[in-house]
Amino acid sequence: MEDKFDLIVIGAGSGGLASAKRAASYGANVAVIEGSEIGGTCVIRGCVPKKLMVYAAKNRQALYNSDAYGLTVSEKSFSSRTLLNKIRNEVLRLSEIHRKSMEKLNIKVFKGWGRFLNKKEVQILSSNKKKVTKSIYGEKILIAVGGEPNILNVPGKELAWTSDDIFRLDQFPKSITIIGGGYIACEFACIFNDFGIEVNQIIRRDSLLTGFDTDLSAFLKDEMVESGIKLQFKEELESINQSGLGLEISLHSGSTLHSDNLLMATGRSPRINDLNLSNIGIKMIGKYIEVDEVNQTNVSNVFAIGDVVDKPNLTPVAIEQGRVFSDNIFGNLKRVVNYEYIPKAVFTNPEISTVGLTESEAKKLYNNENIEIFKCSFTPMSNTFKVKKSKSMLKLVVNKLDNRVLGCHMFGESSSEIIQMASVAINAGVTKEIFDMTMALHPTVSEEFVTMYR
Ligand code: NDP
């Protein structure tokens, strides 16, 4: 039957695509429903366009530091319009690659928004969600719809941007206020600042990046302040008002700020409101869909992966969940996702990367006296001639009882590339002795990881 499938995947983001392609490679008859561009948050309005902006910002910084290396570049001008258009074209190119690869695997793609009619039938709604264009049947259904930004309920909230809006801009603003102290807020604060845009950042706590090792967030705070970003801690947004061409932003303390625009980066939530989950009795756990270790919901033929479940909301996690699901269901394998030692990076300037336990998590788990900390900070050689020098910080959290390295943290250039490799060693149970007996590669920043002797 034409509209009957072995698997319906709702959502063509990183997790949905990975699972659909893996299932089709086992010979399953797969349908994918997507209301927006193929690629989802990561490709269309997240990791990919953001990282391209990070590279652009770094290039601009390099140009502005060129004098330090004896290079004279007389005319420095920047068109954010050109950059934003190039990024959009690249994102569409990647989206098209995904579309073609699904075509090759005979995956049927339906444009529209999925909604459960019953546990095996999904309706497809038109782009304005007003009309049902079709209903399709699936033996298995995978919910992979991702998340959407949280918007604080304050007067004038409709004047605020979310990160989605940044990638739709014609050009960058001259000044911006950013609400939040997490991944998105810190990354965009650094990107905009590196482009010469005036940045105010409002954080409700007294530190950045909740959940990260406190040394990392402290180093980042110092660098951000040093680079000209105006951080206000223990402060919250009260209201937003139009003021001429810009905004007047009122804060809890009673003070006001003026900037061209405001970016709300206050977390994300599963995008599940239109799925009719209550129709089929899906159990929730808080705002997330409840799943077991193989991502199965309480409705036996319905599974959920990615940002709709309560696991680290990161692209590689969603991809692995999607592949494990398809390997188990269509490849008869018995796989589970390895959630231990997931490396994380925040692409600030300089970037932060981490794998394993923070110092405080390790001390809580193994007691203070059983944890030994090795750390060093220095100005990397690449900064020697720069006027504004940034620091690097490297840190190992070690369990004294068996000498295992429980956490590896780094603040500084290329830290994401370095921590990805460190995560291989940590996953393999590396001890501090093995770090110590490993020959250094000189002159590099990461050599300090193997030279922090007792
Ligand atoms: P985060 O959870 O990282 O940060 C949210 C920030 O908003 C926190 O500082 C939080 O404060 C603050 N906040 C939440 N609610 C309020 C409120 N009511 N008033 C004031 N402040 C508030 O979310 P992001 O939106 O930055 O990113 C969403 C997710 O996307 C990340 O968690 C991550 O999974 C993913 N992501 C990953 C990236 C990467 O891998 N490099 C890059 C970008 C996003 P508090 O700490 O006090 O809760």
Side-chain angles (χ1 to χ4, degrees):
M1 188 179 157
E2 198 197 329
D3 294 331
K4 203 169 169 195
F5 298 91
D6 299 322
L7 172 65
I8 297 173
V9 178
I10 312 179
S14 300
L17 288 169
S19 125
K21 289 179 193 175
R22 185 61 65 91
S25 74
Y26 288 117
N29 179 20
V30 182
V32 170
I33 305 172
E34 174 57 64
S36 181
E37 290 96 342
I38 290 168
T41 303
C42 175
V43 174
I44 307 295
R45 61 195 86 84
C47 325
V48 172
K50 182 275 309 288
K51 192 80 190 273
L52 290 170
M53 278 185 190
V54 169
Y55 288 131
K58 275 189 180 162
N59 273 298
R60 184 182 183 276
Q61 283 300 304
L63 191 63
Y64 274 79
N65 275 307
S66 59
D67 292 355
Y69 293 90
L71 290 158
T72 308
V73 183
S74 48
E75 202 147 321
K76 295 165 189 152
S77 72
F78 166 64
S79 160
S80 58
R81 201 181 285 273
T82 305
L83 175 68
L84 287 158
N85 278 333
K86 286 186 85 145
I87 290 175
R88 269 191 287 273
N89 287 340
E90 174 58 9
V91 158
L92 292 178
R93 187 184 72 82
L94 296 173
S95 177
E96 185 58 13
I97 289 174
H98 280 300
R99 195 191 60 75
K100 281 194 181 139
S101 66
M102 285 202 283
E103 204 174 271
K104 264 195 201 142
L105 286 160
N106 290 322
I107 296 170
K108 180 104 175 120
V109 180
F110 292 97
K111 178 96 183 161
W113 304 100
R115 178 172 75 182
F116 280 93
L117 188 59
N118 57 54
K119 64 182 189 173
K120 290 204 171 176
E121 261 183 286
V122 179
Q123 295 179 319
I124 301 166
L125 304 180
S126 57
S127 34
N128 62 8
K129 300 184 181 170
K130 289 207 168 126
K131 212 172 82 193
V132 175
T133 57
K134 202 173 187 61
S135 284
I136 57 175
Y137 175 96
E139 275 305 323
K140 296 277 185 293
I141 299 175
L142 181 68
I143 303 169
V145 293
E148 58 193 356
N150 296 339
I151 296 175
L152 299 184
N153 194 13
V154 294
K157 64 182 180 203
E158 60 289 345
L159 296 168
W161 286 342
T162 68
S163 55
D164 293 359
D165 298 306
I166 303 293
F167 303 112
R168 298 191 197 110
L169 294 177
D170 282 336
Q171 54 186 347
F172 286 154
K174 290 204 164 46
S175 59
I176 191 158
T177 296
I178 301 179
I179 311 296
Y183 280 86
I184 294 178
C186 292
E187 288 182 346
F188 274 114
C190 291
I191 291 170
F192 285 134
N193 185 58
D194 285 348
F195 281 122
I197 294 161
E198 187 191 321
V199 179
N200 286 290
Q201 192 177 346
I202 310 299
I203 304 111
R204 68 174 169 183
R205 297 195 190 223
D206 58 3
S207 61
L208 299 166
L209 294 172
T210 309
F212 280 74
D213 191 277
T214 50
D215 277 321
L216 292 177
S217 56
F219 268 82
L220 179 63
K221 177 185 143 190
D222 289 350
E223 287 293 336
M224 286 173 77
V225 169
E226 183 66 21
S227 68
I229 297 168
K230 295 183 194 102
L231 297 168
Q232 289 194 45
F233 290 96
K234 292 189 165 252
E235 183 60 284
E236 289 189 50
L237 177 65
E238 182 82 28
S239 64
I240 314 167
N241 282 292
Q242 194 73 52
S243 163
L245 291 177
L247 301 176
E248 183 181 81
I249 295 148
S250 304
L251 304 174
H252 272 197
S253 63
S255 65
T256 52
L257 284 171
H258 287 88
S259 63
D260 283 357
N261 297 92
L262 179 142
L263 168 66
M264 265 194 210
T266 46
R268 295 172 63 87
S269 297
R271 194 182 185 181
I272 51 177
N273 283 348
D274 297 328
L275 286 176
N276 244 356
L277 294 183
S278 54
N279 232 22
I280 57 166
I282 291 272
K283 262 201 202 159
M284 304 296 291
I285 177 157
K287 64 180 182 180
Y288 295 103
I289 296 174
E290 188 178 289
V291 288
D292 65 10
E293 69 287 355
V294 289
N295 287 84
Q296 190 171 28
T297 69
N298 62 308
V299 177
S300 63
N301 71 306
V302 179
F303 294 71
I305 58 163
D307 292 2
V308 298
V309 303
D310 191 10
K311 290 287 179 194
N313 285 179
L314 300 168
T315 298
V317 174
I319 290 174
E320 182 63 357
Q321 289 168 337
R323 287 185 180 151
V324 166
F325 158 78
S326 292
D327 284 342
N328 291 343
I329 300 293
F330 300 103
N332 278 325
L333 300 181
K334 290 210 167 1
R335 296 187 58 214
V336 286
V337 176
N338 172 18
Y339 290 106
E340 259 201 286
Y341 300 117
I342 297 172
K344 294 176 185 142
V346 189
F347 294 100
T348 43
N349 182 13
E351 56 194 42
I352 275 184
S353 302
T354 181
V355 61
L357 299 182
T358 65
E359 179 176 342
S360 67
E361 284 168 344
K363 285 182 170 166
K364 217 179 270 168
L365 213 60
Y366 295 99
N367 292 331
N368 279 3
E369 65 276 15
N370 294 326
I371 296 300
E372 193 164 10
I373 302 297
F374 297 85
K375 70 179 168 188
C376 64
S377 65
F378 53 93
T379 302
M381 199 197 275
S382 59
N383 280 243
T384 307
F385 299 137
K386 286 186 188 169
V387 178
K388 187 203 149 281
K389 301 184 202 304
S390 65
K391 281 220 161 9
S392 285
M393 194 277 297
L394 283 66
K395 177 168 178 178
L396 291 176
V397 179
V398 176
N399 184 351
K400 279 202 247 176
L401 299 175
D402 58 6
N403 230 353
R404 270 188 68 168
V405 179
L406 301 172
C408 183
H409 311 282
M410 181 169 171
F411 172 75
E413 60 189 40
S414 307
S415 67
S416 55
E417 306 291 348
I418 293 162
I419 293 293
Q420 172 69 89
M421 293 316 293
S423 68
V424 176
I426 292 189
N427 247 303
V430 71
T431 59
K432 178 68 169 65
E433 275 117 351
I434 296 178
F435 268 75
D436 294 345
M437 65 183 263
T438 300
M439 196 63 78
L441 199 166
H442 185 72
T444 61
V445 173
S446 53
E447 68 179 305
E448 299 296 331
F449 271 130
V450 296
T451 56
M452 290 192 281
Y453 301 114
R454 289 193 172 101

